[in-house]
Amino acid sequence: MPNHNDKQRGLRSLVLKRADADFSSKQAKTVFMVFLAIVIAGALLFLNMYGRYNDRVLYEERLSQMGEVTTELFDGLDDIIDSKWHAVDTQVNYLCDESPQDVEALVSLMERQHRLANLGDEGTDIIMVDDKGRYYTQTGPKGSMQEMDHLLGNPERINYVTTTMTTNKTLMVFLERLEQPVRLSLGDGQDTKIVYAGLLCNMEELEPYFSCEAYDGANNVIVVDNDGSKLFSSNNSPIRGHNAFSVLKQMRYLHGSSFDKAAAELEANGVAYSNAVLDDEEYYYALSRMDSADWTLVFLVPARYVATNTVELVNTTVKLVMGFAFALVTACAVAIYIVLRAKQRQVLEIEHKNAEGLKRVNAELDTKNEELEFAVRDAQVARSQAEASNHAKSDFLANMSHDIRTPMNAIVGITNLIEHGTTSPEQLADYIQKIKLSSNHMLSLINDILDMSKIESDKVELQLVPVSLAEQINQVDNIIRAQALGRHHEFHIFVNDLRHEYLVADGVRLRQTILNLLSNAVKYTPDGGQVELSITELNSGDADYARLLFEVTDTGIGMDEEFLKYIFDPFSRAESSGTNKVQGTGLGMAIAKNIVELMGGSIEVESTPGKGSKFTVVLDLAIDKDASYDIGVERMLLVCGEQRLKRNVSMRCEEAGIVLDVAKSVEDACAGAAAHIADVILLAGCVDDPALGASIAALREAAGEDGPLVFCIDYALRGQVTQRVVAAGADGFVSRPFFLAELEGVVRRVYGSTATPTSDTSVLNGMRFLCAEDNQLNAEILSALLEMSGASCEVCPDGAAIVERFASVKPGEFDAILMDIQMPRMNGLEATRAIRMGANPFGAVIPIIAMTANAFSEDVRGSLEAGMTAHTSKPIDISLLEKTMEKLVAPPPPRSGGDS
């Protein structure tokens, strides 16, 4: 019986033999694949180079052939125009020889010459023009010329195209100035002078000369002036519009050509040729300046009619070459396959012998493998436990990194637009607002990162403050719409039966919940899908609360019933070919569920694989009864035929005490009396309407002088359409969904006010603050922001310095203290306690407002417990400071400046 070492040597020998056989087989296959790849690559390279060469040769041949054809055509047209000028010279000579004395004699002469020259057969009239711009034909006086500008400067020759001298014809006018004007008597002692004589020719005379037999009559000829304006064109011209040069500029050019190059060649040589695509049809065209008229001829022919014999020859050659190349590659592949097949049979015989030996060895290896499996399994368990911990941390950091990049990318993108673009004041204001919204969202995400451990340990506290639902949805819209546009999604936000815009809630948590749901919808919906956010106010059993239903619906990949059981567990993700490409950690749904339950609400999900998902959130939020609307609008007219928008606007106006009138169309609005008495007109669904300007003009005309403000309302980002609607005559743009707060902001911008249309004074105006700020840059920003609002401040570098300064402060010297928290020597909490307990009695009553980057609920509570009056987070928000000061102090009395 062989010992263990003999078995090992036998196994090694069998393995080496099989490895040699496998290597030989793989080596042969590799040689075949490499050779085949080289042959195919060489053939493709040859065909590519050959195709480029043929394309260049064909292009040059077509231009050459077209030059020969068009030269003959252009020369023929020039000859026709020359013949007209010769005829004009004849009429001038007859007129000078006859020198008629009155109008009757002139008309008689013209009638005779018209008959003798058989001009009637050609549809040509004789024309004479006097020094007062009146013209005469063989049929008598015709009145004044409408194109008097052509006579300015008394040019020697005049030619142009007109439609004003007949009712249904386009005429060519040829006029030549007389060397000696012919005086005519008009009777009653009046006379006039004939200064120009010439012909009126029917433009259709040129039609037979436009067709080219070389191209089977498929060409088009357009007569334009030197600016490209159409004077005449042959039938069925593919160039639409009044200006032919404008259409030529917009064509997609081939072979390195362009309209600018063609225009330069035309200017230099009087003729130019080019090749471009119009409406998916390739054309060759020629431009030629006429020698005998101030016109340019545009000759246009589809490429398929140019040099057809040459093209057919080249195409036949290409087919033959490709057929030969294919046959050559096929023959080589078949030969190599035969050789490899013989080699493979040898390898199979060797493998069969080796298989018998491996069977004996496998039985012994199975025993050893079982022993190794037990050892590996134990090691894998320990490793999996360690990796799970590290993986959870990595997933968390990756998810937060993605969420932070979302608003940061918005900030960087908008600042690039501001730096490199030309923006209107309205766009700039919109960009600044979006930067502020994205900055605030990024700040909230940083707070979420620091607060994550508290969410998992149920220690998160809600910060309930007054919030505007319009502002919350606007922030969500600006962030999500950019993501949706990047995926070509249709993204809509609908509001239904909303009666309360101003609520008391944790705005950061509310916004975070909606963003988590919408971000998932965008990420897990294939490109070109639909994502929708619907907000509905349901009936609430409590008059102090508003019950809101938030529904996020998408047409994404959906989820199966098994995964729905775990969707709200941390780090849960559905695994499929569609989701593996989506970055994320699976924390979003867990965070959303925790926040919703912390707010006392509920969250549910419905989903069907391949069709999409629907998340439903129901929240009861306190109504902010201190909020009020100050729009400055008493009556409003809505021009709209959509029931959803009518109902939404009606309910919002009812809450604000605004009288609303509704018209289904602009015509109805103009016909009624509502436009006369409205303060604001909302024109819906017309942003992309070509007749927008006419509609706005009609509304303003119906409203009369001192009419209302006119705003367009539609689903779009304000910064992208405001400039367009303002150019059409509107006063601004209101985004949908409709919120009164949005309308209030737009009205304020129109009137240039920060509060109401009749007031522009900040509540901070005239106030003076004592500030503690250890960062010099932050101190400069704070001082500048306060000065912009009409306030001033004195800055101390740390807590100890402000305590020392306050010891000598007199009552009325400062209105409030703005206190940083983290400072050297003495922090803000310690400084506040020192001021409140100090010897200066004013320290017990002066408002002290915390300003710090620590924005969690416990930080707010700690500030208030130290004796502070209010808390605001960094970066400082002037509008929030204004609201805080408005609640804390009355407007300051006039300050004394010597005599009181």
Side-chain angles (χ1 to χ4, degrees), residues 558-569 574 604-609 612-615:
M559 298 166 283
D560 56 34
E561 292 183 359
E562 183 64 22
F563 179 71
L564 292 179
K565 300 177 183 178
Y566 311 100
I567 186 172
F568 294 115
D569 292 345
E604 297 177 354
V605 59
E606 302 172 15
S607 186
T608 303
S613 304
K614 177 180 179 181
F615 287 83

Side-chain angles (χ1 to χ4, degrees), residues 618-676:
V618 179
L619 295 173
D620 289 327
L621 303 177
I623 301 170
D624 184 5
K625 296 188 175 182
D626 295 331
S628 62
Y629 299 97
D630 192 10
I631 306 176
V633 174
E634 297 180 357
R635 198 176 190 102
M636 186 161 63
L637 171 62
L638 173 64
V639 183
C640 172
E642 180 185 343
Q643 291 299 324
R644 183 199 295 267
L645 181 59
K646 290 181 183 178
R647 182 176 178 83
N648 183 23
V649 175
S650 176
M651 298 190 71
R652 306 305 310 117
C653 290
E654 181 180 355
E655 181 189 4
I658 299 174
V659 179
L660 178 67
D661 297 308
V662 179
K664 291 184 178 180
S665 65
V666 173
E667 291 76 13
D668 292 346
C670 294
H676 295 278

